[in-house]
Structure formats: C-alpha cells, structure tokens
Amino acid sequence: MTLTEPEPRTAVATHCPYCALQCGMSLTAGEGAEVEVAPRQFPTNAGGLCQKGWTSGSLLTSPARLTTPLIRLDGELRPASWDAALGLIAGKLAEIQARHGKDAVAVFGGGGLTNEKSYLLGKFARVALGTSQVDYNGRFCMSSAAAAGNRAFGLDRGLPFPLTDLADADVVLLVGANPAETMPPLVKHLERAKSLGGLIVADPRRTPTAEQANLHLTPSPGKDLALALGILHALVAESGVDQPYMDERTRGFSAVWRIASRWWPERAERVTGVSAADQRTVAAKLANARNAYILTARGAEQHATGADTVSAWINLALALGLPGKPGSGFGCLTGQGNGQGGREHGQKADQLPGYRKIDDPAAREHVARVWGVDPAEIPGPGRSAYELLDALGTADGPRALLVFGSNPVVSAPHSAHIADRLSTVEFLGCADLVLSETSALADVVLPVTQWAEEDGTMTNLEGRVLLRKRALDPPPGVRTDLDVLAGLATRLGQPAERFPTDAETVFDELRAASKGGLADYSGISYDRLRAGEALYWPVPEATHPGTPRMFLDRFAHPDGKARFVPVEHSGPAEPPDTEFPLQATTGRVLQHYQSGAQTRLVDELTEAVPEAFVEVHPDTAARAGLADGDWARIASRRGETVARVRCVPSMGIDLVFLPFHFPGAQRANLFTNPALDPTSRMPEFKVCAVKLSIVDGA
Ligand code: SF4
C-alpha cells in the first residue's frame, strides 16, 4: 500500500474512522504494509486517542478485507467481476420491482457513511429505485434525541455548542452516558466540573465514567424520566428555576408542571431508587452553578419512551435556563462517526436533504429541482429501520434489500428474527469492507473502500463538518460506495451525470439540496474545509462564518421560543416478573465499536476483549449456580445468548449488563426488545426482562 498524495512517508492529517468525536489523527504509510497512526491536536480530542483509534491503521491492511465482488452460486459466495455483480443486482431489482412494485426494493444505510454517501444513497433510493423504503441504523442510535430536540428547539443538532465549552462548566450532568469508555478523550473536557465537585452521572451501572463522578445516581433502567421529574419538582420547590428566562424564551411550562408537581422527590425515589436527598442535591447544584450542562446519551434514549425521556431532561434544562445561554446548555452525545450528518441528508425514511421533511411540499419541490425530477416522482415516507427489517419478505413488505455500511444481523433488536426475515427476501445485496454477519448472507457482496482510502465529509457530534482526505490507495479491485451507487443507477436507466462519483461534486450538489433547510450546508465548500475553517452548520452563505453556538438569540420554532413538552413516566415496556426476574441492559466497551465487524478484526482489541461477557452481582450469579468465568445463558421471551460471567459487586442484584459487539450465539441483541418509541421509532435496546442460568455442559 502506498501514499498517493502527498509523497510517501508524509503524514496525512485525517480523523478516526469510528465514533462521533472524530478525533484528529495522522496517517503515515510504513515501509511495509503497515500504516502508522499518531494522534493529532484537534479540539475534540486535544491530542488524545482511545485504543480503537490507535489501532485503526490495521483495518486498512487487514487480510479480511474484501477485494473482489462475490456472487452466490450453488449456495457459495464466489469471486466475480464488477460488471457481472452490478449487472446482476440491477437486473434482480428491476425484475422484482416489475413484479411487485417500486416499494418491493428497500435500502438500508448507516450512520458511519460520509455525508456524500448518505446523500447519494437517499437520492438513489428515491430517484433510481423510486422506493419509499429507505432507512438506516442511525434510527437505532440518535432518533429519540433528534425527535426531542426537534420538538423542544425546532431543530436537532446533538451538541448545539463546541465540545470545548464543557471545559468551563461548574456542573455537568451526564444521563445514560459513559464517555470514559465510549469516547475517552472527551473526559478531558469534564475536568473542571469534576474538580469543583460538579460532575454528576446518572447510570444504573457503576461505569468507568460513574467511577470518576462526584455524585453517581443509580436509577433503575427505564426510569430516567421519573428521575428528571423528581429533580424538576425539587428545583421548583427550592425556587431554583430561571423565571425571567422561562418568561422570555420558552412556552408551555404550566402543562409540564401539572405533571411534575405530582412527582415530589420521595415519590421519584420509590420509582427510580435514587434518594430524594440526592435529587435535591442535583437540583441545588444545577441551580447554583454559574455554567452548567445537561447531556444525555443512549442510556436515556434507547427506550420505547426515549423521546419523552429526553424531553423530560430538556424540560429540566429549560427550567434552569441553560439552552441558548453562553457557557451553559443541553445536548445529546452522538455515537456513530457520522451520526449527525447521517441523519440530515436523506437516508432516513421521512426525510430529504438539509433536514427537510419528505411530506413538506415546498421541501419536495426544492429537492426535486436540484435532482432534475418532478416532485411527484419522489416517494413519500417509508418504514422506520426496525419496521422495514421486520417487514422483509412479508406479503406487503420489501422483497429485496440493499445494505450499505450496516450489520443488522448483529445490531438490530431481536436479531435472530431479523436474520430470519433477511433469509426470506428474494435478493440481498451488500456493500461492505469485510464479510460481516449480514453480508455473509447476501446474494451479492461488493467490496468498498474505507475511510482513509476516499475523500468525504463527516459531521461530528458538535455539528462541525470535517473533511477526511484520501490518504492511501485502496487495495486493487475495491471501489467507493459512490462508484457502486453510480454503477447501479446507470444500469437502472439513470443518466450518469445524475450520480457523480467524485465526492466533492456530490458535496456541491448536497450544498444546493440543503440550501434553505435547517441543516444548511450551502456555504460550506471543500476549499473552505481544506483551508482549515471550523464550520459548524448552518452555514447559509459562502461568506458565513458558521454557527458554533446555536439558539443564543432565538430557537428554531417560528416564534423563536423553546417548547416545554409535557411527558409522563410509564417505565419499561417489559417489566421483570417471576419467569424473567432480572433486567438486562446493553452497551459498549472501550475496545469495540458497534456490531464489532471492524474492531473484531484488530488483534489488540480482540485480545483485550475477545468474547461476550455478562456483568452480574456475585449474589445473583451464585443464586443461578454461576461463578466468575462461567458461561451463562441469558434468556428473554425472544431468545437467549451466552456470555462469560463477570461478577461485579457494584451491580444491582436485579440487573445484568452485556456488550452488544459479538456475533453468533453471543449476540446480546438475541434477547433485546423491539418495542418502539411511538415518535422516534427507537427500539427499547436498554432494558428488558431476562433470566440467568448455567450453560448446560459448561
Ligand atoms: Fe476518538 Fe472515538 Fe476514535 Fe476513540 S473511537 S479515537 S474516541 S474518534
């Protein structure tokens, strides 16, 4: 592997391939096949990298990389030419659509795809295939946060302020967030709050982040909403609200108070397990802070009540007067690498580029003009991610699926059921770096480039748009996702100029499509990014400096005011009972990322965490006849998984925790609950009822 530009052995500045922190790093091609990674000063990571970032270079040279298209013949995936593979896919899709209609073909994207890929994928689905059936795995990540942000502020940008603003905070309340493990360099920005006694973590587990907190609240899983109501009650009772701010900048508090007034802290304590005294302490710390932030993440959001739970925390932040105040704020920590940009540019079932709504006639007209099509040709909203996967192969569901940058066999809830659904489709095509658990089921697999081998932009957790420049040649035989989409689109009868393969050209079209939308990128250009400008959307003009801090003067609702949203506690969709007496929650470990398809290929990471484990209180383990190191079976009504027991005394006696990065029988998602949030359509990944037993013969 050689550097193409600049000269060999010259370090190329880029960003990490994994999470939304998008840490700055430098890549240098070594003497042999290896690629050296070094941390680079960038505001989010301040020169740090986690173990995943440090080892990411080995992904580029992994022997597991796919380098030739594969076509299934006689049950086996066999090497084929690009022309044969693309021709087969296009022919199959056209034939299935001719028999069953446009919506018989579905497309599934990912939150790790660049903005250009996300944009072109949505356009490909709507224009080349004419299908409404397109969604992506970001639905499983940020949709509850997005729904709550939209209804409170009129706009969803995970952090509406630069991450570095946290470094001046007196108090930071993290709800269901574990950055010390999921994005370690972020913790540096919390040092001041910690030194002042103001780092508060709400999490059912004593995570590495909770270990560092000055105060750790341990609400029972699925009870965060009740906790927020209790703290809001305490805040009002102690006259801690910012009344002038509420009068001037918000609407709707009285409806929220009608609910919160019934949630005195002692009642919230009975429901959540967090003491009333701790709730009052949190209210007082937040009210007395000069600068304070409330941040949520997947622990609060991945519930069938996820959107309402985030709304409850936003209500608290609004009562404190935090959002839109310099030095304070509310935010949601985005997870996937392009979890922010991936939800803005049209790979979502209900959305067009620029964060436009697909059922808005003005939005359809604007985007249709950019695409050169009749607005009536753009399909309406489709199914959300889980509903799309669940409908595969059913009488009125899609008969074919194309997957880009996602591994739902491991990452979707109730994953054995989803694997069954995938096995019923007439055709499955995947574009992938390696043969993931999903692409291994495909009829055709297309080998695609990865981050350092292609140009593209990412939008990090702050809404800052970053240029990741191509640093290395891809292996021979591998093409970009943009090439794949263009190759399929032209075979489906589209003019080649409608599906460009050059990332900068695609970005320029995205700029035009986003112009005037909430996520307006029209003033961002590759030249500005190459020049090193720090551009946070919206950037509506080429001379606009970008918007690092949002809502300073007004919120994005037409009247400029934020909305309190009345929400009531209802608890987990599947409470424990006598048959399934424990509660299971799932999450990430430091060494692995999402479905693990990439990180499980890195030796250092798999040596550190080679297999699934279940954290459990020693007494709970003993009651099931289990000891540290044993293999346990964790079963719910939907299925069961196996994992190695880790006895952890800080775990609640009715709680178990499993990471979700592992394949096969170790998939945590074999037991998770696909109960969906009515607004965001987020599945309830974070809590379900399970039982624990010894693995026969172990
Ligand atoms: Fe940074 Fe996230 Fe990459 Fe770790 S995985 S180096 S925290 S971007």
Side-chain angles (χ1 to χ4, degrees):
M1 186 165 292
T2 57
L3 280 170
T4 51
E5 189 185 341
E7 289 300 306
R9 305 281 314 150
T10 301
V12 177
T14 186
H15 296 269
C16 176
Y18 298 118
C19 84
L21 206 57
Q22 286 294 290
C23 294
M25 59 167 57
S26 300
L27 289 183
T28 310
E31 295 295 342
E34 80 280 7
V35 178
E36 292 169 12
V37 171
R40 180 172 65 85
Q41 279 296 334
F42 189 71
T44 57
N45 62 310
L49 289 179
C50 79
Q51 198 177 356
K52 295 187 292 292
W54 273 109
T55 56
S56 57
S58 63
L59 274 178
L60 295 158
T61 54
S62 169
R65 283 292 296 276
L66 294 171
T67 55
T68 183
L70 302 171
I71 291 178
R72 192 172 297 279
L73 283 173
D74 302 325
E76 301 274 324
L77 285 170
R78 297 169 197 247
S81 71
W82 271 98
D83 196 44
L86 292 170
L88 178 61
I89 296 175
K92 281 281 186 188
L93 300 187
E95 177 206 321
I96 289 168
Q97 287 191 316
R99 276 193 280 122
H100 300 289
K102 297 288 189 192
D103 280 357
V105 173
V107 177
F108 201 83
L113 300 176
T114 62
N115 290 319
E116 293 79 359
K117 295 178 187 182
S118 305
Y119 168 79
L120 208 65
L121 191 66
K123 179 181 176 184
F124 172 81
R126 273 65 176 246
V127 175
L129 291 171
T131 182
S132 68
Q133 302 298 294
V134 52
D135 212 57
Y136 79 126
N137 65 18
R139 180 76 67 173
F140 300 155
C141 185
M142 290 301 295
S143 58
S144 291
N150 279 324
R151 62 190 184 189
F153 308 127
L155 182 151
D156 152 47
R157 199 180 90 186
L159 295 185
F161 47 80
L163 187 70
T164 45
D165 283 5
L166 295 178
D168 290 326
D170 309 328
V171 175
V172 177
L173 168 58
L174 294 169
V175 185
N178 182 16
E181 203 159 12
T182 57
M183 39 180 67
L186 185 149
V187 175
K188 197 170 179 49
H189 304 294
L190 305 175
E191 283 174 358
R192 182 171 188 273
K194 186 182 173 190
S195 71
L196 296 175
L199 181 58
I200 306 165
V201 171
D203 198 306
R205 295 169 60 220
R206 192 151 185 85
T207 62
T209 309
E211 287 283 351
Q212 298 187 32
N214 304 105
L215 177 60
H216 177 203
L217 313 175
T218 55
S220 174
K223 307 284 179 64
D224 290 341
L225 200 163
L227 178 61
L229 288 168
I231 296 172
L232 179 59
H233 186 108
L235 185 78
V236 174
E238 298 298 323
S239 304
V241 299
D242 186 338
Q243 196 63 50
Y245 171 97
M246 289 207 298
D247 292 343
E248 191 185 332
R249 303 210 57 191
T250 72
R251 290 173 59 180
F253 179 69
S254 57
V256 165
W257 180 242
R258 271 197 291 280
I259 296 171
S261 61
R262 301 194 300 272
W263 281 91
W264 50 96
E266 285 74 13
R267 180 185 174 201
E269 176 180 335
R270 284 196 296 277
V271 170
T272 67
V274 176
S275 74
D278 279 351
Q279 293 174 54
R280 292 191 172 98
T281 298
V282 173
K285 278 181 180 283
L286 286 165
N288 295 327
R290 192 172 49 85
N291 296 320
Y293 292 86
I294 299 176
L295 305 174
T296 68
R298 303 306 83 69
E301 298 158 15
Q302 287 181 318
H303 293 276
T305 55
D308 282 359
T309 301
V310 179
S311 288
W313 292 106
I314 293 176
N315 290 339
L316 177 64
L318 289 171
L320 287 156
L322 305 182
K325 185 189 278 184
S328 293
F330 174 87
C332 297
L333 296 171
T334 301
Q336 293 196 78
N338 199 27
Q340 180 70 53
R343 66 185 190 262
E344 297 165 357
H345 298 300
Q347 61 175 328
K348 211 171 165 189
D350 51 359
Q351 191 191 78
L352 290 173
Y355 229 137
R356 290 181 157 92
K357 292 197 169 90
I358 202 164
D359 54 5
D360 172 2
R364 295 171 64 85
E365 192 159 324
H366 172 83
V367 174
R369 204 175 314 122
V370 175
W371 288 351
V373 301
D374 186 324
E377 291 175 41
I378 299 177
R383 292 179 172 90
S384 73
Y386 183 80
E387 291 163 298
L388 188 158
L389 296 169
D390 184 41
L392 291 172
T394 60
D396 64 347
R399 311 288 178 111
L401 179 69
L402 291 181
V403 180
F404 290 78
S406 190
N407 188 13
V409 168
V410 176
S411 63
H414 198 186
S415 53
H417 170 69
I418 294 307
D420 283 347
R421 300 266 37 104
L422 285 166
S423 70
T424 65
V425 294
E426 291 181 38
F427 184 80
L428 175 62
C430 294
D432 222 329
L433 317 175
V434 295
L435 205 60
S436 72
E437 289 70 23
T438 302
S439 51
L441 303 178
D443 298 291
V444 178
V445 185
L446 303 173
V448 289
T449 49
Q450 50 178 315
W451 97 107
E453 300 161 351
E454 58 189 16
D455 289 328
T457 60
M458 306 284 279
T459 304
N460 76 358
L461 77 174
E462 315 161 295
R464 178 173 172 177
V465 180
L466 311 170
L467 179 60
R468 285 201 316 209
K469 287 176 280 192
R470 173 174 159 144
L472 307 158
D473 285 339
V478 170
R479 296 186 183 178
T480 70
D481 291 288
L482 300 180
D483 284 325
V484 168
L485 292 170
L488 291 174
T490 49
R491 284 169 175 80
L492 289 164
Q494 291 292 310
E497 61 273 17
R498 197 175 268 170
F499 286 87
T501 57
D502 172 64
E504 187 168 357
T505 307
V506 175
F507 188 79
D508 285 343
E509 190 183 305
L510 179 161
R511 294 168 60 190
S514 75
K515 188 170 182 58
L518 288 170
D520 190 334
Y521 282 40
S522 59
I524 305 173
S525 66
Y526 269 38
D527 280 342
R528 293 185 75 180
L529 296 173
R530 283 188 196 104
E533 285 195 68
L535 296 172
Y536 302 76
W537 69 258
V539 189
E541 303 290 342
T543 52
H544 190 283
T547 315
R549 292 172 188 84
M550 309 191 84
F551 313 139
L552 295 179
D553 302 321
R554 65 191 315 279
F555 294 97
H557 287 299
D559 63 2
K561 297 195 176 197
R563 303 290 191 269
F564 280 97
V565 176
V567 288
E568 181 57 281
H569 166 76
S570 60
E574 186 182 61
D577 55 24
T578 50
E579 188 180 1
F580 297 96
L582 304 175
Q583 292 190 295
T585 190
T586 63
R588 283 169 52 188
V589 299
L590 190 155
Q591 288 82 4
H592 290 290
Y593 181 68
Q594 305 302 76
S595 77
Q598 293 155 283
T599 49
R600 284 186 272 117
L601 298 174
V602 178
D603 290 345
E604 293 94 321
L605 303 180
T606 48
E607 280 161 19
V609 185
E611 60 196 9
F613 60 85
V614 52
E615 286 186 359
V616 56
H617 190 280
D619 293 348
T620 309
R623 273 201 303 277
L626 291 160
D628 211 51
D630 287 348
W631 281 97
R633 174 179 290 112
I634 303 93
S636 76
R637 287 180 175 80
R638 290 157 296 282
E640 59 185 44
T641 186
V642 295
R644 182 87 72 181
V645 172
R646 284 189 186 176
C647 288
V648 177
S650 64
M651 288 291 286
I653 56 168
D654 58 352
L655 182 66
V656 299
F657 166 82
L658 290 92
F660 52 64
H661 313 291
F662 298 94
Q666 298 182 22
R667 276 175 291 170
N669 279 316
L670 288 168
F671 64 69
T672 49
N673 188 355
L676 299 181
D677 183 291
T679 306
S680 66
R681 318 309 285 168
M682 167 73 84
E684 183 138 297
F685 286 102
K686 279 291 185 273
V687 59
C688 70
V690 298
K691 60 185 174 186
L692 191 64
S693 61
I694 199 159
V695 173
D696 298 334

